[in-house]
Amino acid sequence: MAAKPSIPKGTRDFSPVEMAKRNYIFNTIRDVYHLYGFQQIETPSMEMLSTLMGKYGEEGDKLLFKIQNSGDYFKGITDEELLSRDAIRLSSKFCEKGLRYDLTVPFARYVVMHRDEISFPFKRYQIQPVWRADRPQKGRYREFYQCDADIVGTDSLFNEVELLQIVDEVFARFGIRVCLKVNNRKILSGIAEIIGESDKIGDITVAIDKLDKIGLENVNKELSNKGISAEAITKLQPIIQLNGSSSEKLETLKEILLASEIGMKGIEESEFIIASLQSLNLMNEIELDLTLARGLNYYTGAIFEVKALDVQIGSITGGGRYDNLTGVFGLSGVSGVGISFGADRIFDVLNQLDLYPKDAVNGTQVLFVNFGDKEATYCLNILLKVRAAGIRAELFPDTSKVKKQMSYAHNKNIPFVAIVGENEMKENKVMLKNMESGEQNLICIEELITILASC
Amino acid sequence: MAAKPSIPKGTRDFSPVEMAKRNYIFNTIRDVYHLYGFQQIETPSMEMLSTLMGKYGEEGDKLLFKIQNSGDYFKGITDEELLSRDAIRLSSKFCEKGLRYDLTVPFARYVVMHRDEISFPFKRYQIQPVWRADRPQKGRYREFYQCDADIVGTDSLFNEVELLQIVDEVFARFGIRVCLKVNNRKILSGIAEIIGESDKIGDITVAIDKLDKIGLENVNKELSNKGISAEAITKLQPIIQLNGSSSEKLETLKEILLASEIGMKGIEESEFIIASLQSLNLMNEIELDLTLARGLNYYTGAIFEVKALDVQIGSITGGGRYDNLTGVFGLSGVSGVGISFGADRIFDVLNQLDLYPKDAVNGTQVLFVNFGDKEATYCLNILLKVRAAGIRAELFPDTSKVKKQMSYAHNKNIPFVAIVGENEMKENKVMLKNMESGEQNLICIEELITILASC
């Protein structure tokens, strides 16, 4: 049995260098989450299908990876049912478990199951993979990590402010210049209310979003094609052509949405969030963007999205407020707000802009060459001291040709090689070679430690 | 739909406190792996069933979690096959993917697929969950983490030495006193050869292991019951009664196994490993234990196992050398040696011995009380400075009763609360309350930072 192995399509192996980069991303996000008092939880990879089904729409249900029941999975299925070959309906008989599709539904389930031990408001973060049976394509995987932070059990807008501070801080640490786009579901509801087209708000935001590309005339044509009345389109004109700073946009919206209670509430919320953030001197620009309409059925207040300024790529982080996260599991009245960093896209952006810090790799700092058992055994004692000083060090395990050992150090990007032969042992010293400059120095162990601890 | 949610049996949610403890375990192991030059990889949670099946024995195949094919999973199955209800045979038609069962087989698959980019010897570690459809019971889960380190592409015994140094260092860092037990598959083969019962080595080690509990007479009775000849049992006596230090045991074995080439090779290897480690002054005891026979079909040289001295629990770490890890995937001649830390059992041991360091939790260091929007907004600016100093800090988001805010700090184990009201704002100061002592001090921001940075 020597078939050439492969991995499932849409999944990936991560090499040491890729892992180091990914860990740099996760650790940066994690550190900032900790600075703001978020605590980590983890949930099982498998959830009951009863927990997952019906939460992501009909399309989402189809994209769930379902796990075949153990043992006799035919039990309880009649011959007629089997022969019907109704794949969708029989899934729930063959399978009672599925892989999680996102971190939000498992989090909602967690909050409901653990509500008696949780001290609200609950600030949790979660960094785990999720699985979707999507058609794989460039940048879209069947297994990928999400990095979510949510606060539940509070409707204070200070949460929105702090989450956007987190986003600002994380991208500042990465060195990625971004624009933080904010919107508010209540403003969108207000617009729909004012123009009398409450059920068309999705079409409207999509059309407005195309203004730059297709021009005002075509936007209006598209709105009309979508069945929006001429009167409504007329009323929409000042909104489509809204421009200026965020404050200017909000001033204009105040006039337009004056008659909509919910619209005015959305404006008030956005004013608070944007003004608070402006007083905190964010590193990145913040912008009110009415075309932002992500998860429209889901979010009820603020909506966030982050765009990288120096790379052409979709949204790299998003989030917003939802008012009834846990209602579907029988616990109502739990308002929350959250963000989710797109680790895979951030990975690509950091690569494209070559922004990974050199020391993110946590690689070996020095390789000890192996000249034979006697020398190697001698080196083990030196290694003891070197590692006790926190220096990452290796002994080449085999007595291979020096050239091979050097090329190992080179391939693994190890910056220093320590050479200990007969002479060095006699003098109780080490020949330290700098792999970049080629320079060699005969030094004692204490010097070796000083040099390596400082790089 | 408000059904009470649950999670699949054998799986777990991890709360913030549990996660902090688990991260402490993983980070400790990871830090030591890095010190020895190991680099992390990750493989997909799902592997092709063709990669997994047949690698863990018939029982293992049954314990694989299989993932139902997406779309029409009935395709290619005849009516007759369906009506046969042959759950085992049809699994491979309904499912082409499964969840990984351990980290070793995916690693072997990784080495084969990436052999051209790997610089051998390859020192990799991997910390990821694995899944087994075992019957759940106390301490046995269907989803659990493994923390493996392996070196492949080298048969030098220095690898065994370094892996045992790693084990010693990790448990020293945890503060868990352990015994490092070592054995060698070649010694066991030698014994079987000498007594002429090569196929009964499993039964022999099981029986020897019971000496302390049931006494010599009963051990011999059990050996006889297992079909081992009287002559063989006689030859076994000095081995069953082997005692003394590891060196003494090896000296005795040398006499007994003199005629077995493979046995003598095993003794020589064990002597090298034990002598090297003794010269390195390990923190924990190392002991040659002939009853160690884990993964007998799998290991070909050294075998390791770690026992906690102060807690009654099974092996908490294990490993050994294997000579043909990747042969099953068509790449032969890759020798390797590895260890695997049992994170779940280590978690239990640390809990029982109360050995978690206090600062492992990474919790919030100071909570700012929220007296209203004006005060809270003022606090945001203080928080900016506090967090810039690396201090983990929160603002309570809502203007709740102070008692509720205090009890939040208490429940979350936050050691300090900062109170900023009208007076404090006027004086540009903060009232800092120590939650343990109850002491309160009116201090300036710089003092606050100094105090918090030092705890």
Side-chain angles (χ1 to χ4, degrees):
Chain A
M1 191 181 17
K4 217 172 167 189
S6 64
I7 55 176
K9 61 180 175 183
T11 69
R12 292 164 288 173
D13 283 328
F14 294 106
S15 72
V17 171
E18 287 163 336
M19 275 311 295
K21 289 178 173 182
R22 289 166 63 82
N23 284 334
Y24 164 69
I25 294 174
F26 295 140
N27 289 338
T28 302
I29 295 170
R30 184 195 312 269
D31 285 348
V32 178
Y33 282 162
H34 284 164
L35 274 186
Y36 284 78
F38 286 80
Q39 295 182 303
Q40 189 173 15
I41 68 162
E42 278 190 8
T43 61
S45 303
M46 301 185 277
E47 294 276 352
M48 303 306 290
L49 280 178
S50 55
T51 298
L52 300 176
M53 297 284 281
K55 308 302 187 298
Y56 308 104
E58 208 176 305
E59 202 47 40
D61 283 352
K62 282 190 205 153
L63 299 184
L64 291 171
F65 280 111
K66 299 175 186 76
I67 293 162
Q68 196 176 54
N69 295 336
S70 302
D72 181 14
Y73 50 84
F74 285 107
K75 219 168 72 183
I77 305 181
T78 65
D79 287 355
E80 288 66 34
E81 284 176 314
L82 274 182
L83 294 175
S84 78
R85 294 169 175 267
D86 185 338
I88 291 176
R89 218 173 54 77
L90 285 177
S91 262
S92 60
K93 301 224 168 185
F94 284 126
C95 307
E96 60 166 28
K97 296 182 286 290
L99 294 177
R100 79 176 149 252
Y101 181 88
D102 71 2
L103 301 177
T104 307
V105 167
F107 174 52
R109 197 261 314 136
Y110 180 97
V111 168
V112 173
M113 281 179 69
H114 299 273
R115 59 193 182 220
D116 295 334
E117 347 156 352
I118 293 172
S119 182
F120 292 97
F122 184 39
K123 302 174 92 164
R124 90 83 172 80
Y125 76 90
Q126 198 169 347
I127 300 181
Q128 291 192 275
V130 302
W131 296 268
R132 296 181 185 179
D134 251 322
R135 188 201 304 264
Q137 49 179 266
K138 193 181 173 306
R140 193 200 280 165
Y141 304 103
R142 291 185 150 194
E143 174 177 49
F144 57 97
Y145 271 75
Q146 293 192 331
C147 314
D148 287 16
D150 292 79
I151 316 170
V152 296
T154 161
D155 50 17
S156 161
L157 295 173
F158 282 108
N159 298 307
E160 276 84 340
V161 171
E162 287 211 333
L163 286 175
L164 285 164
Q165 280 188 280
I166 286 177
V167 171
D168 182 62
E169 172 79 26
V170 165
F171 286 106
R173 290 187 180 205
F174 285 141
I176 299 177
R177 297 194 317 128
V178 295
C179 176
L180 311 179
K181 290 170 181 276
V182 299
N183 193 9
N184 196 299
R185 177 67 171 100
K186 289 171 186 155
I187 294 180
L188 296 179
S189 298
I191 295 171
E193 192 182 313
I194 290 293
I195 65 167
E197 297 276 7
S198 285
D199 54 333
K200 298 258 166 58
I201 190 66
D203 292 333
I204 293 170
T205 55
V206 168
I208 295 179
D209 192 27
K210 295 183 182 164
L211 183 64
D212 283 349
K213 275 186 227 138
I214 62 175
L216 182 60
E217 203 175 323
N218 288 316
V219 168
N220 288 335
K221 213 177 281 174
E222 179 166 328
L223 288 167
S224 177
N225 290 343
K226 292 284 179 187
I228 290 160
S229 72
E231 193 192 2
I233 293 176
T234 305
K235 282 191 185 156
L236 261 180
Q237 293 312 299
I239 292 167
I240 300 176
Q241 293 175 274
L242 198 67
N243 59 25
S245 69
S246 298
S247 323
E248 286 163 354
K249 286 181 188 170
L250 286 168
E251 286 310 315
T252 311
L253 281 172
K254 261 188 218 172
E255 292 165 23
I256 303 170
L257 301 185
L258 195 61
S260 162
E261 196 184 333
I262 191 164
M264 291 305 281
K265 180 86 183 123
I267 292 171
E268 190 191 315
E269 289 181 8
S270 302
E271 274 184 327
F272 181 88
I273 295 167
I274 292 173
S276 297
L277 289 168
Q278 275 164 351
S279 81
L280 292 167
N281 294 318
L282 295 196
M283 259 81 64
N284 294 288
E285 215 48 56
I286 180 159
E287 183 197 323
L288 179 75
D289 180 352
L290 290 191
T291 67
L292 210 65
R294 45 180 296 134
L296 209 52
N297 308 315
Y298 181 70
Y299 292 123
T300 53
I303 306 172
F304 325 124
E305 205 164 272
V306 178
K307 285 274 191 179
L309 295 183
D310 302 316
V311 171
Q312 281 286 355
I313 200 166
S315 150
I316 54 179
T317 289
R321 176 169 290 277
Y322 38 82
D323 271 344
N324 197 12
L325 179 70
T326 55
V328 71
F329 297 120
L331 180 66
S332 57
V334 178
S335 182
V337 55
I339 48 169
S340 182
F341 286 92
D344 285 298
R345 285 189 174 169
I346 292 171
F347 182 91
D348 290 343
V349 172
L350 288 170
N351 263 336
Q352 279 187 55
L353 300 177
D354 195 19
L355 287 173
Y356 285 104
K358 264 194 194 159
D359 59 358
V361 173
N362 262 322
T364 300
Q365 294 163 280
V366 59
L367 172 77
F368 280 72
V369 172
N370 185 333
F371 286 112
D373 279 6
K374 200 178 73 182
E375 291 85 354
T377 301
Y378 180 87
C379 287
L380 283 185
N381 277 288
I382 303 179
L383 279 161
L384 216 53
K385 293 178 193 153
V386 168
R387 289 180 181 137
I391 292 160
R392 300 181 296 277
E394 286 182 51
L395 167 71
F396 196 86
D398 303 291
T399 313
S400 309
K401 290 210 178 94
V402 173
K403 199 182 157 196
K404 190 184 168 190
Q405 302 192 37
M406 288 294 176
S407 106
Y408 172 85
H410 175 78
N411 291 337
K412 223 175 151 178
N413 267 316
I414 301 177
F416 289 96
V417 168
I419 297 158
V420 184
E422 199 71 46
N423 288 336
E424 286 80 9
M425 283 169 68
K426 222 178 286 166
E427 295 192 45
N428 202 14
K429 294 208 165 174
V430 167
M431 182 69 81
L432 187 68
K433 177 175 177 158
N434 181 319
M435 289 293 280
E436 202 181 343
S437 68
E439 205 188 329
Q440 292 198 165
N441 284 302
L442 190 69
I443 54 176
C444 66
I445 316 302
E446 289 66 34
E447 286 175 281
L448 175 86
I449 289 174
T450 309
I451 291 171
L452 291 170
S454 68
C455 351
Chain B
M1 193 183 13
K4 217 172 167 188
S6 64
I7 55 176
K9 63 181 176 184
T11 69
R12 294 163 288 173
D13 283 327
F14 294 105
S15 71
V17 170
E18 287 163 336
M19 275 311 296
K21 290 178 174 181
R22 289 166 63 81
N23 284 334
Y24 164 69
I25 294 173
F26 296 139
N27 289 338
T28 302
I29 295 170
R30 184 196 311 269
D31 284 349
V32 178
Y33 282 162
H34 284 165
L35 273 186
Y36 283 78
F38 286 81
Q39 295 183 303
Q40 190 173 15
I41 68 160
E42 278 189 9
T43 60
S45 303
M46 304 185 276
E47 293 276 354
M48 302 308 290
L49 280 177
S50 54
T51 298
L52 301 176
M53 298 285 281
K55 309 302 186 298
Y56 309 104
E58 207 175 307
E59 201 48 40
D61 282 353
K62 281 190 203 151
L63 299 184
L64 291 171
F65 280 111
K66 300 176 186 76
I67 294 162
Q68 196 176 55
N69 295 337
S70 302
D72 181 14
Y73 49 84
F74 285 106
K75 220 168 72 184
I77 305 181
T78 65
D79 287 355
E80 289 65 36
E81 284 176 315
L82 273 182
L83 293 176
S84 78
R85 294 170 174 269
D86 185 338
I88 291 175
R89 218 174 53 78
L90 285 176
S91 262
S92 60
K93 300 226 168 186
F94 284 127
C95 308
E96 60 166 30
K97 296 181 287 291
L99 294 178
R100 79 176 149 252
Y101 181 88
D102 70 1
L103 301 179
T104 307
V105 168
F107 174 52
R109 196 259 315 137
Y110 179 97
V111 169
V112 173
M113 281 179 69
H114 299 272
R115 60 194 182 218
D116 294 333
E117 4 167 329
I118 293 172
S119 181
F120 293 97
F122 184 38
K123 303 174 91 165
R124 89 84 172 79
Y125 77 89
Q126 198 169 347
I127 301 179
Q128 290 193 275
V130 302
W131 295 267
R132 296 181 186 180
D134 252 322
R135 189 200 304 265
Q137 48 179 268
K138 193 179 172 310
R140 192 199 282 166
Y141 304 102
R142 293 186 146 192
E143 175 178 48
F144 58 97
Y145 271 75
Q146 292 190 333
C147 313
D148 287 17
D150 292 79
I151 316 172
V152 295
T154 161
D155 50 17
S156 161
L157 294 173
F158 283 109
N159 298 307
E160 276 83 340
V161 171
E162 288 212 333
L163 286 174
L164 285 164
Q165 280 188 279
I166 287 177
V167 171
D168 182 62
E169 172 79 26
V170 164
F171 285 107
R173 289 188 180 203
F174 285 141
I176 299 175
R177 297 193 318 128
V178 295
C179 177
L180 311 181
K181 291 172 181 274
V182 298
N183 194 9
N184 195 299
R185 176 68 171 100
K186 290 170 186 156
I187 294 180
L188 296 178
S189 298
I191 294 171
E193 191 182 316
I194 289 293
I195 66 168
E197 297 275 9
S198 284
D199 55 333
K200 297 259 165 58
I201 190 66
D203 292 333
I204 293 170
T205 55
V206 167
I208 296 178
D209 192 29
K210 294 184 182 164
L211 183 64
D212 283 349
K213 276 186 224 132
I214 63 176
L216 182 60
E217 204 174 321
N218 288 314
V219 168
N220 287 334
K221 213 177 283 174
E222 178 166 328
L223 288 168
S224 176
N225 289 342
K226 292 283 180 188
I228 291 161
S229 74
E231 192 193 2
I233 293 175
T234 305
K235 282 191 184 154
L236 260 179
Q237 293 311 299
I239 291 168
I240 299 175
Q241 293 175 272
L242 198 66
N243 59 25
S245 68
S246 298
S247 324
E248 287 163 354
K249 287 182 188 170
L250 286 168
E251 286 310 315
T252 311
L253 282 171
K254 263 187 217 172
E255 294 165 23
I256 303 171
L257 301 185
L258 195 60
S260 163
E261 193 184 335
I262 191 164
M264 291 306 280
K265 179 85 185 129
I267 291 170
E268 189 193 314
E269 289 182 7
S270 303
E271 272 185 328
F272 181 86
I273 295 168
I274 292 172
S276 297
L277 289 168
Q278 276 164 351
S279 80
L280 292 167
N281 294 316
L282 295 196
M283 260 80 66
N284 295 288
E285 214 49 56
I286 181 158
E287 183 197 323
L288 179 75
D289 181 353
L290 288 191
T291 67
L292 209 65
R294 44 179 298 132
L296 210 51
N297 307 315
Y298 180 70
Y299 292 123
T300 52
I303 307 173
F304 326 124
E305 204 165 272
V306 178
K307 285 275 193 180
L309 295 181
D310 302 315
V311 171
Q312 281 285 355
I313 200 165
S315 150
I316 53 179
T317 290
R321 175 168 293 276
Y322 39 83
D323 270 345
N324 196 12
L325 178 70
T326 54
V328 72
F329 297 120
L331 181 66
S332 58
V334 178
S335 181
V337 54
I339 48 169
S340 183
F341 286 93
D344 286 298
R345 284 188 174 167
I346 292 171
F347 183 91
D348 289 345
V349 172
L350 289 171
N351 263 337
Q352 278 187 54
L353 300 177
D354 195 19
L355 287 174
Y356 284 104
K358 262 193 196 160
D359 59 358
V361 173
N362 263 320
T364 300
Q365 293 164 281
V366 58
L367 172 75
F368 280 73
V369 172
N370 185 334
F371 286 113
D373 279 6
K374 202 178 68 184
E375 290 85 353
T377 301
Y378 181 88
C379 286
L380 284 185
N381 277 289
I382 302 179
L383 279 161
L384 216 52
K385 293 177 191 151
V386 169
R387 289 179 182 137
I391 292 159
R392 298 181 298 277
E394 287 182 51
L395 167 71
F396 196 86
D398 302 292
T399 313
S400 309
K401 290 208 176 98
V402 173
K403 199 181 155 197
K404 188 182 167 193
Q405 301 191 38
M406 287 293 177
S407 104
Y408 172 86
H410 176 78
N411 291 337
K412 223 175 152 177
N413 268 315
I414 302 177
F416 288 96
V417 167
I419 297 158
V420 183
E422 198 72 45
N423 289 335
E424 285 81 9
M425 283 169 67
K426 221 177 286 165
E427 295 192 45
N428 203 12
K429 294 207 164 174
V430 168
M431 182 69 81
L432 187 68
K433 178 174 176 158
N434 181 319
M435 288 293 282
E436 202 180 343
S437 68
E439 203 188 332
Q440 294 198 166
N441 284 302
L442 190 67
I443 54 177
C444 66
I445 316 302
E446 289 68 31
E447 286 175 282
L448 175 85
I449 290 174
T450 308
I451 291 170
L452 291 170
S454 67
C455 1

